[in-house]
Amino acid sequence: MKNTLKITLFMLLVSALASFAASRKPAAHAPVEYFGKLNAEMKPGPTGARSDLTPLPDSIKATLPVPLGKGDNAYIGKMDLGPTASAVEVVVVEPKAGHVYLYVDTNGDHKFTLNERHELSGFDDIVFTMPLKVGVLKEFPYRVIYRPTQDTGKQRANTGIVPALMLIPNVPGKGPAVKQDTERALFYSTEAVATGEVNIGGHETLVQYDYNVKTRSINPMHGFLGVDCNGDGKVNQDTVSPENTKTDGAPIVFRVGKDYVSTKSVDVKTGKIVMIGHPASDYTRIEMVPGTQLPDFHFVDINGKQHKLSDYAGKYVLMDFWGTWCGPCRALIPQVKELYTKYHARGFDVLGVDIENTRDHLTASDYETGLKSVKAYVTQNNVPWAQTEQSSIERLAMDRFRILAYPTTLLIGPDGKIVEVEPGVKQLDQFLNKTLPANAPGQGQ
């Protein structure tokens, strides 16, 4: 009986000591949360679509709320307006005197009213809104650009609202020199960007997110998002800016002063934004700004040879993120070749970071196809500098540099730091001529 009592008392003592030790053990810290609110007004997004216009039929001319005057030209097309989930008609009127204006059948009743009329200052662009009424978001904005064009109708805009085609030039004091039979087109935004402010470290910080028209929601782990990291009151949306990026399923950490944050949730019904803090180690982005020290990354070239960035130590190196599928990338190659020929012996080199396929989840076959493409291009065009094999470099390009546009170029100094972001060819020529020694490194006078 006594032994049993002793054992029971001993076990109770052990249990009490264990509980005490557990209570003294530091608890795992929950991440710091930052709160903010969406603004009611959104702004037009960067991507868009094109609507080709045709002469307006007489039957519709008669229904316009303002009769056309003698010499006025009118055209009709369609715009796919997200909130309506359907295409609506749009009419553009070029009056003989006065500003160009357009009617947008925003309610889809196939009629045009004065409330649906929007005036442009000459051949210009406007922003108009449609009622949205989704939580705190009240209106959906559209940016519309109207331009006479000189293409055959086969060319189309690539990415972004501004089309890749030749526009008719302006005549000083008279506007564009337009002929009546010149093709007309509208270019309009199809997405919207929601903005808000979040209190981070005691400062109201501007944030912005893509609004999903189909789901009528904001998913901070899909699409473009931005944060005013430097506190200047705006988000720099340049493709190389550390304040702007795109994600497809992963939280993005931004550096805001001394704080590192990502967005946990955005509720369009209540307007509530929740961001969470991170340790500095979670911030892996390589900021593409002058002065950034690049890591000594490793890569394999298209011939299977191993390299690392420090192999280029002591040289000025132009990193060119490109792909053979990219027209502007190919157009840049001959200009860079001239610089390479002119300055290579004096300590200048180029590293082609080739991304042949920008999709996620590529297969071995995808990589092999891309490798064949870049090898063929390099051989046919006598490109003399090293090219990376995509699988050896793509995670660095996509996840750390966060490349959004091609080509993107960086000039790297002899110490491995970024000297210039997106240097122009002429600017680069002048810099290299001024900075590099007159003779090749290691050569005497």
Side-chain angles (χ1 to χ4, degrees):
M1 180 73 177
K2 290 182 179 180
N3 288 337
T4 302
L5 180 62
K6 287 180 180 180
I7 292 172
T8 301
L9 290 173
F10 176 74
M11 293 182 69
L12 288 172
L13 178 61
V14 169
S15 177
L17 289 172
S19 298
F20 176 76
S23 68
R24 300 288 292 178
K25 184 179 180 180
H29 291 292
V32 177
E33 291 189 334
Y34 305 93
F35 302 97
K37 195 169 183 65
L38 286 174
N39 297 319
E41 294 183 356
M42 293 194 289
K43 59 183 183 179
T47 57
R50 165 176 173 154
S51 173
D52 291 311
L53 306 179
T54 58
L56 184 67
D58 291 338
S59 59
I60 300 180
K61 288 180 182 179
T63 68
L64 297 180
V66 177
L68 297 178
K70 186 177 180 180
D72 293 352
N73 297 320
Y75 306 86
I76 191 169
K78 289 189 175 182
M79 291 174 57
D80 186 10
L81 301 185
T84 68
S86 62
V88 299
E89 291 181 324
V90 56
V91 169
V92 177
V93 178
E94 295 177 9
K96 185 176 181 180
H99 292 160
V100 174
Y101 58 92
L102 59 97
Y103 296 100
V104 182
D105 182 21
T106 51
N107 61 9
D109 65 355
H110 304 290
K111 299 177 182 178
F112 299 100
T113 67
L114 288 176
N115 291 332
E116 295 175 323
R117 173 173 163 161
H118 308 275
E119 188 170 290
L120 293 82
S121 299
F123 291 91
D124 207 337
D125 65 282
I126 63 165
V127 174
F128 71 92
T129 60
M130 287 184 61
L132 187 62
K133 298 179 182 179
V134 176
V136 299
L137 304 174
K138 304 303 180 186
E139 296 178 325
F140 193 97
Y142 288 93
R143 182 186 177 205
V144 178
I145 299 175
Y146 175 56
R147 293 289 190 272
T149 71
Q150 287 181 326
D151 69 79
T152 63
K154 297 179 180 179
Q155 291 177 302
R156 292 295 180 266
N158 295 323
T159 58
I161 191 170
V162 179
L165 49 77
M166 184 181 295
L167 304 180
I168 290 185
N170 284 324
V171 175
K174 297 183 179 180
V178 184
K179 296 181 180 180
Q180 188 171 346
D181 59 354
T182 302
E183 183 177 319
R184 266 74 169 169
L186 281 179
F187 304 92
Y188 60 96
S189 59
T190 54
E191 298 176 350
V193 174
T195 65
E197 282 77 33
V198 177
N199 192 306
I200 302 175
H203 301 283
E204 293 296 318
T205 303
L206 177 67
V207 294
Q208 64 182 41
Y209 309 95
D210 275 356
Y211 173 77
N212 189 311
V213 177
K214 293 182 179 179
T215 64
R216 297 191 167 219
S217 65
I218 293 172
N219 182 352
M221 288 192 289
H222 180 77
F224 283 94
L225 62 161
V227 178
D228 173 22
C229 297
N230 63 6
D232 66 354
K234 55 188 177 182
V235 174
N236 184 341
Q237 293 184 267
D238 193 280
T239 55
V240 297
S241 169
E243 297 188 340
N244 174 56
T245 193
K246 185 179 183 182
T247 181
D248 288 303
I252 300 297
V253 178
F254 289 87
R255 180 174 64 85
V256 182
K258 295 181 180 180
D259 296 300
Y260 299 89
V261 298
S262 68
T263 301
K264 180 180 180 181
S265 62
V266 181
D267 188 337
V268 297
K269 292 183 179 180
T270 63
K272 186 177 181 180
I273 304 171
V274 181
M275 303 185 81
I276 58 174
H278 290 261
S281 57
D282 285 355
Y283 186 67
T284 59
R285 182 169 190 157
I286 300 171
E287 296 185 0
M288 289 190 285
V289 295
T292 293
Q293 179 70 58
L294 298 191
D296 189 21
F297 58 85
H298 292 240
F299 63 92
V300 177
D301 69 22
I302 58 175
N303 297 311
K305 185 178 179 181
Q306 298 277 347
H307 298 267
K308 56 184 181 297
L309 182 62
S310 58
D311 295 341
Y312 294 86
K315 296 181 179 181
Y316 282 93
V317 180
L318 184 70
M319 283 185 69
D320 179 19
F321 295 86
W322 77 297
T324 61
W325 51 268
C326 164
C329 300
R330 297 193 304 271
L332 184 62
I333 295 291
Q335 300 176 68
V336 175
K337 279 179 69 175
E338 290 183 12
L339 295 178
Y340 184 89
T341 302
K342 189 174 181 180
Y343 296 111
H344 181 61
R346 291 170 58 181
F348 171 65
D349 215 327
V350 181
L351 173 59
V353 183
D354 176 67
I355 303 295
E356 284 301 298
N357 198 321
T358 59
R359 291 186 296 106
D360 289 330
H361 311 300
L362 299 181
T363 65
S365 176
D366 293 328
Y367 288 121
E368 184 63 29
T369 300
L371 184 60
K372 290 179 180 178
S373 296
V374 68
K375 277 187 171 182
Y377 183 89
V378 166
T379 300
Q380 292 168 7
N381 293 276
N382 298 312
V383 181
W385 53 84
Q387 302 290 338
T388 63
E389 191 279 317
Q390 178 167 337
S391 66
S392 73
I393 201 75
E394 68 178 352
R395 295 281 46 100
L396 182 82
M398 304 293 192
D399 299 340
R400 301 202 62 192
F401 282 105
R402 305 208 68 84
I403 299 299
L404 296 177
Y406 300 83
T408 292
T409 56
L410 302 173
L411 180 63
I412 312 303
D415 56 359
K417 293 182 179 180
I418 296 177
V419 176
E420 190 61 61
V421 180
E422 299 277 66
V425 173
K426 184 177 180 180
Q427 174 192 2
L428 186 55
D429 188 4
Q430 293 172 344
F431 174 84
L432 294 174
N433 189 49
K434 179 181 178 181
T435 306
L436 293 176
N439 299 295
Q443 292 184 1
Q445 297 290 332

